[in-house]
Amino acid sequence: METLEKSGLNIAKIREEFPILDQKVNGKPLVYFDNAATNQKPRRVIEALANHYKTDNANIHRGIHTLAERSTAAFEETRHAVREFINANEAEEIIFTKGTSESINLVASSWGRKFLEEGDEILISAMEHHSNIVPWQMIAEEKSAQVKVMPIDENGDIILAEVDKLITEKTKMVAFNHASNSLGTINPVKEIVAKARKVGAKVLIDGAQATSHLEVDVQDLDADFYAFSAHKMYGPTGLGILYGKRTLLEKMPPYQGGGEMIKEVTFEGTTYNDIPYKFEAGTPDIANVVAFKKAIDFIDELGKDKIAAHENELLSYATTEIEKIDGVKVIGKANEKVSVLSFSVEGIHHFDIGMWMDAKGVAVRTGHHCTQPLMDFFCIEGTVRASFSVYNTIEEIDIFTQALKDTISKFKK
Ligand code: PMP
């Protein structure tokens, strides 16, 4: 008989789809808890990538031969699958990029260059990834605009009452993450969008940590832009998505120039292609886009509600277990969290913890997680971060907890 978890998922069977999990690291079975950095790829994604190169590889859109047609069809099929996955109104509102970082840079650079003026304000949050801070600082400097910050409390929740004071007629863009990679906090997107709407500001949501855990409906959220990465949702690395409302994308100038993004080029001047191609200069990452469709299928097949139920079970068990350990302090205690567990251990540097855990086969991330201002807020240099995906198990959390206890006792001797 197959054993189903409380979530209704058969995790043992799911694990069989992930060849990488079946290995020893430093002589111990691998426990992979670095999923917020990138999660592992099911066999169907790996095979789709290889199969594309084995049978269909050709450049897309301009070819009239059979392989070019096949390749183009598979590429555009993923665009349609992404549209459906986030409930965008049209496939043309889906732009393929290199990752969340490039998606945000595209908006900051293209939208910002066209619509920001001196004295305008961009509002971000205190828990942003550097990818959702630096592009705004860059464009703000260019335009003599200002970046302001929504504060958070000790639990890691945005202080909404303060947001009301910060959103003014000067605010032109509100950019924040759907879920935090360092704390796990799930932010109240709709509430913040509603506040932005009152002053006519646009909203960009960094969904890098949300799309593999939460239902995302960009129309329901009323996001103007939604950025995310394939590699954090069981898909290939180096591929990102930018959703943008048609009305905005059409008004924005191209981000990069080159092939594909043009209608006609003469030495006197160039006319630009329609969306989404206007923003996809050059040969895109065709094979990865094709393979990404299989990652979306994987998530859809399991169901986000079941994935979330399983991950929440792991998160709450792991949190309870590590809080029992002397000296461990959980960083990020928001009411609503994705499966990210950040913590520090009194008197032991996070790098030392990470190194000793690795010696026991347990992969966790250590450091500032590209959120240095957030670390400054907590007056720490970094944390140890364990993050869970659908293939992780309660048994693995027991191994992780034991490894943590052993590591701490080694340092306390
Ligand atoms: N935002 C958040 C919240 C993230 O977690 C990450 C990845 N750690 C990024 C942005 C950047 O994503 P990428 O490196 O795929 O561009």
Side-chain angles (χ1 to χ4, degrees), residues 368-383:
H368 54 63
H369 319 298
C370 299
T371 53
Q372 279 180 342
L374 178 64
M375 297 297 120
D376 290 345
F377 170 79
F378 283 105
C379 302
I380 51 178
E381 227 182 87
T383 71

Side-chain angles (χ1 to χ4, degrees), residues 150 216 340:
M150 297 184 257
V216 174
V340 166

Side-chain angles (χ1 to χ4, degrees), residues 386-406:
S387 50
F388 315 114
S389 262
V390 70
Y391 42 67
N392 290 127
T393 65
I394 292 287
E395 293 73 34
E396 286 182 312
I397 288 173
D398 288 335
I399 296 170
F400 154 80
T401 311
Q402 191 55 50
L404 180 59
K405 283 181 190 162
D406 293 348

Side-chain angles (χ1 to χ4, degrees), residues 36-37 99-102 104 129 131 177 179 181 206 208-209 229 231-232:
T100 306
S101 305
E102 192 180 40
I104 299 172
H129 189 281
S131 294
N177 59 43
N181 63 310
D206 169 353
Q209 295 294 336
S229 298
H231 72 94
K232 294 186 197 280

Side-chain angles (χ1 to χ4, degrees), residues 311-356:
E311 290 173 347
N312 288 342
E313 191 191 337
L314 296 175
L315 178 69
S316 88
Y317 179 63
T319 307
T320 310
E321 288 307 299
I322 70 164
E323 281 190 322
K324 288 180 196 160
I325 306 171
D326 231 18
V328 169
K329 186 176 173 217
V330 172
I331 314 283
K333 295 187 161 191
N335 280 334
E336 301 261 357
K337 280 180 68 171
V338 292
S339 48
V340 166
L341 180 55
S342 259
F343 59 94
S344 56
V345 182
E346 202 186 341
I348 311 177
H349 198 276
H350 44 272
F351 286 160
D352 290 331
I353 303 267
M355 242 171 58
W356 283 101

